[in-house]
Amino acid sequence: MSNYLETKEEVKNYIIARTPLIIIDSSERERVERMLASISSELGIDIFYYTDSKQVVQLNSSAPGIDAENDPLGFMTSFFRKKRKSTFVFGDVKRISEDTMYTRELINVLYLAKESDSTLILITPDRVMQRIAQFGMITKLDYPRLDERLAQIRRFAKEYDGRFTVEWDEDDVIKASTLLRGFTEIQIENILSNEIVSAKGLYKENIFKLTSQKSKLYTAVSSIQQVNVPRGLSVSGLENLKKWLKEKHEVFFASDQELEQYGLDTPKGILLAGVPGCGKSFSAKMVAKEWELPLFRFDIGSIYDKWMGESERKMKEALEFIDNVSPCVLWVDEIEKALAVSDGGNDTSKRILGQFLFWLQESKSRVFMVATANDISNLPSELFRKGRFSEVFFVDLPTADERRTAIMQYTDKCLHIKFKEEQLEELVAISEGFSFSEIEYAIKEIAQLILIYGQSGINMDVIRERFGTVVPIEKSNPEKVAQIRKWGEERAVPAHRID
């Protein structure tokens, strides 16, 4: 059963039981109004409804509205004195989290509702002070669940089919409804309307663009930036990681019902630890490209503030933004620099770590996090507990086959030449111990020479010389590489192909 139907049944029972107060926690007032109109019809009762714009109207009635003279609380006082066993809905509730003259007057209205065996329904997404909440029951109307999103998208496609090209079949509607998880009805309508107007239809290839609009619906957070992912992005090697991601893609995009059927949660994400320059950061972009999801980079270090409580507030704000813009890929680069907490670390760092770990463990949003780390020794052990990351991968220096692929890709892109087989074999041998970034650096150095002197000035001697000037990390810092490899062999899954 959907949350809408569950909430409707709850509210219905509370009204029948004549609970003095029903608080409906929702920001979707129109959706609640439609639900209450349905309850009015099913129970055969009159429900009166106040908003600032309409004043007092009777749901399911064409009778003209009643002017409350901008005094809804005064109107409700008179209403409950005159009508026993009545139901009144207050749709424009304000400032009910604190003890004020307004909330005290509202409490008096609730006493009248209780005495007259009536029910007052408050619609608000805000916190309600305890003295008010104790009069009744609170129920939450979540954002539309899968069945409601499916029905809304089907209605939309049917309405505009004929005026626009609608290529979506039932599988596409299911994909779209999964991607639009976490939107209100109005937001879904706005996104679909914008898509059908801008693209002149609902096309299959544009389905995954729907989520890219989501970040425009929320206030920007300075610690989070959206990252553009090149269409032609290609990441060499990491075959074991790629295979794992291909399998998890099916789970990540499974419907809520499918996940519930098997007792599953969506994959949380991965921690990529290993040698610098071996494709860890590129992997975040690779996931976003392959899964056709927006990519956001979270700079955790930037949330720290000198003022008491501000760091925690900024972290909470950032995590709420991430939840709101899901489904997405979240990239946290060099996570150890932001979350390293020593035994003597300050309280703010520990609280920030605690907030982040709790979110990793408990968040139900479809956020796939790709965190990278170079110095694993600085990471807190709590980060590796199962349930926080779906898997921890170790990224080592590229193998000979991976170096060959990388050299071919970069020479094609930057040098626009193709090496003979024996030349390619020589470069693979010369580049032993190189990281992907070091291979890229060597080839781009050659590309600069071509730009300056032209293609004719480049030969294998020049190329050998440029490759020879690179001192790979395996030689410049062998102790560090050995330490990283030892950790990876013992505590992580290899990201490269396992032969």
Side-chain angles (χ1 to χ4, degrees):
M1 185 185 289
S2 74
N3 173 255
Y4 176 86
L5 294 175
E6 290 170 356
T7 304
K8 180 182 173 183
E9 194 63 26
E10 268 191 277
V11 172
K12 207 165 151 183
N13 291 334
Y14 293 152
I15 292 174
I16 293 170
R18 280 299 160 206
T19 305
L21 172 66
I22 303 171
I23 299 168
I24 302 178
D25 180 356
S26 175
S27 59
E28 297 184 271
R29 199 176 71 188
E30 290 183 6
R31 191 159 160 245
V32 176
E33 182 181 335
R34 191 169 66 247
M35 179 181 72
L36 293 172
S38 176
I39 291 173
S40 171
S41 296
E42 291 174 19
L43 295 181
I45 62 172
D46 295 332
I47 296 181
F48 293 84
Y49 178 53
Y50 173 86
T51 60
D52 290 340
S53 57
K54 298 177 183 177
Q55 295 293 289
V56 180
V57 297
Q58 185 178 335
L59 297 179
N60 292 330
S61 172
S62 58
I66 306 168
D67 191 349
E69 299 178 350
N70 296 318
D71 183 15
L73 296 181
F75 185 92
M76 283 186 277
T77 300
S78 175
F79 180 86
F80 286 130
R81 280 178 178 157
K82 294 175 183 176
K83 291 180 177 285
R84 290 185 59 79
K85 298 184 183 296
S86 56
T87 305
F88 195 97
V89 183
F90 194 3
D92 271 323
V93 192
K94 302 178 182 72
R95 310 180 305 278
I96 57 171
S97 61
E98 299 175 2
D99 187 0
T100 63
M101 290 294 293
Y102 177 85
T103 51
R104 289 176 192 174
E105 188 176 348
L106 182 57
I107 289 170
N108 289 332
V109 172
L110 287 166
Y111 275 115
L112 274 173
K114 188 174 187 303
E115 291 165 7
S116 64
D117 206 14
S118 297
T119 299
L120 175 63
I121 300 175
L122 305 180
I123 304 171
T124 178
D126 301 327
R127 188 176 69 84
V128 179
M129 69 179 293
Q130 187 58 35
R131 282 190 64 198
I132 291 175
Q134 68 186 8
F135 275 87
M137 308 297 285
I138 299 176
T139 185
K140 182 176 177 61
L141 180 61
D142 292 332
Y143 289 152
R145 289 192 181 174
L146 179 65
D147 56 341
E148 294 174 80
R149 298 195 302 273
L150 284 169
Q152 183 179 359
I153 296 169
R154 287 181 190 127
R155 284 196 304 270
F156 184 91
K158 185 177 180 181
E159 180 182 351
Y160 288 97
D161 192 12
R163 283 185 279 173
F164 292 90
T165 302
V166 177
E167 291 185 348
W168 292 4
D169 57 22
E170 185 60 19
D171 286 342
D172 298 318
V173 169
I174 292 171
K175 283 180 188 175
S177 65
T178 301
L179 291 170
L180 293 174
R181 182 177 185 267
F183 286 102
T184 66
E185 274 190 353
I186 293 174
Q187 287 172 334
I188 291 172
E189 185 76 20
N190 290 341
I191 287 172
L192 292 174
S193 298
N194 180 68
E195 178 61 29
I196 206 167
V197 170
S198 60
K200 303 294 187 292
L202 295 178
Y203 296 97
K204 288 177 177 289
E205 64 266 23
N206 293 343
I207 290 174
F208 288 96
K209 286 171 54 183
L210 297 175
T211 53
S212 65
Q213 301 181 44
K214 200 165 191 178
S215 60
K216 301 171 187 175
L217 300 173
Y218 302 98
T219 304
V221 175
S222 60
S223 59
I224 298 173
Q225 299 84 37
Q226 187 162 3
V227 179
N228 291 323
V229 180
R231 280 186 172 273
L233 178 74
S234 177
V235 177
S236 301
L238 309 181
E239 296 304 325
N240 197 38
L241 170 61
K242 290 175 180 176
K243 179 184 175 184
W244 185 91
L245 288 169
K246 188 174 182 180
E247 292 173 352
K248 296 302 177 184
H249 172 275
E250 301 305 314
V251 182
F252 188 87
F253 287 100
S255 68
D256 293 343
Q257 290 176 333
E258 288 175 312
L259 293 175
E260 288 174 10
Q261 181 182 355
Y262 296 101
L264 296 173
D265 293 318
T266 53
K268 297 281 187 180
I270 53 177
L271 174 63
L272 299 177
V275 183
C278 291
K280 298 189 296 297
S281 297
F282 266 104
S283 296
K285 297 179 182 179
M286 176 185 72
V287 176
K289 174 181 175 287
E290 294 298 322
W291 289 16
E292 297 183 282
L293 288 175
L295 174 65
F296 294 91
R297 182 177 182 273
F298 185 15
D299 181 8
I300 299 179
S302 69
I303 69 170
Y304 287 96
D305 196 288
K306 65 180 179 180
W307 302 110
M308 180 72 73
E310 275 299 289
S311 300
E312 293 88 338
R313 182 191 65 78
K314 288 180 179 179
M315 174 59 95
K316 180 175 181 291
E317 188 179 65
L319 295 177
E320 286 176 351
F321 177 87
I322 294 163
D323 283 335
N324 284 334
V325 297
S326 67
C328 65
V329 177
L330 183 68
W331 172 24
V332 183
D333 201 22
E334 297 186 354
I335 192 172
E336 74 274 20
K337 292 183 178 178
L339 294 180
V341 178
S342 63
D343 292 337
N346 63 55
D347 290 340
T348 299
S349 297
K350 291 177 180 177
R351 286 194 295 269
I352 291 298
L353 175 62
Q355 277 182 278
F356 186 69
L357 293 177
F358 181 80
W359 176 80
L360 271 181
Q361 188 79 33
E362 301 299 329
S363 175
K364 299 301 180 185
S365 300
R366 296 200 184 211
V367 176
F368 189 85
M369 186 167 75
V370 179
T372 70
N374 291 327
D375 191 351
I376 315 98
S377 62
N378 281 336
L379 283 171
S381 58
E382 303 96 316
L383 201 60
F384 298 99
R385 186 183 302 168
K386 283 295 182 184
R388 287 172 177 163
F389 286 106
S390 303
E391 193 56 89
V392 179
F393 284 94
F394 171 64
V395 183
D396 203 347
L397 292 168
T399 63
D401 285 343
E402 290 169 343
R403 294 199 306 277
R404 169 191 288 270
T405 302
I407 291 169
M408 290 170 64
Q409 285 179 348
Y410 283 121
T411 53
D412 183 57
K413 178 183 176 182
C414 303
L415 307 184
H416 309 295
I417 61 174
K418 290 190 182 299
F419 289 114
K420 295 177 182 177
E421 184 59 30
E422 60 270 19
Q423 293 173 327
L424 188 57
E425 287 294 334
E426 183 180 353
L427 293 178
V428 169
I430 292 172
S431 62
E432 184 175 359
F434 280 34
S435 65
F436 286 119
S437 61
E438 288 161 348
I439 292 172
E440 179 186 14
Y441 171 80
I443 291 175
K444 287 190 174 179
E445 283 289 298
I446 300 165
Q448 289 182 39
L449 294 177
I450 293 175
L451 178 66
I452 298 168
Y453 301 109
Q455 192 85 42
S456 60
I458 304 302
N459 54 43
M460 275 303 291
D461 289 336
V462 173
I463 293 171
R464 289 189 198 96
E465 186 269 330
R466 287 295 161 172
F467 267 74
T469 61
V470 176
V471 180
I473 189 172
E474 191 175 40
K475 291 182 179 178
S476 64
N477 201 342
E479 297 84 5
K480 188 67 179 176
V481 172
Q483 179 189 349
I484 293 171
R485 279 177 169 162
K486 186 175 186 300
W487 185 94
E489 289 168 1
E490 295 173 352
R491 305 189 190 183
V493 175
H496 301 264
R497 178 184 284 116
I498 305 173
D499 296 321

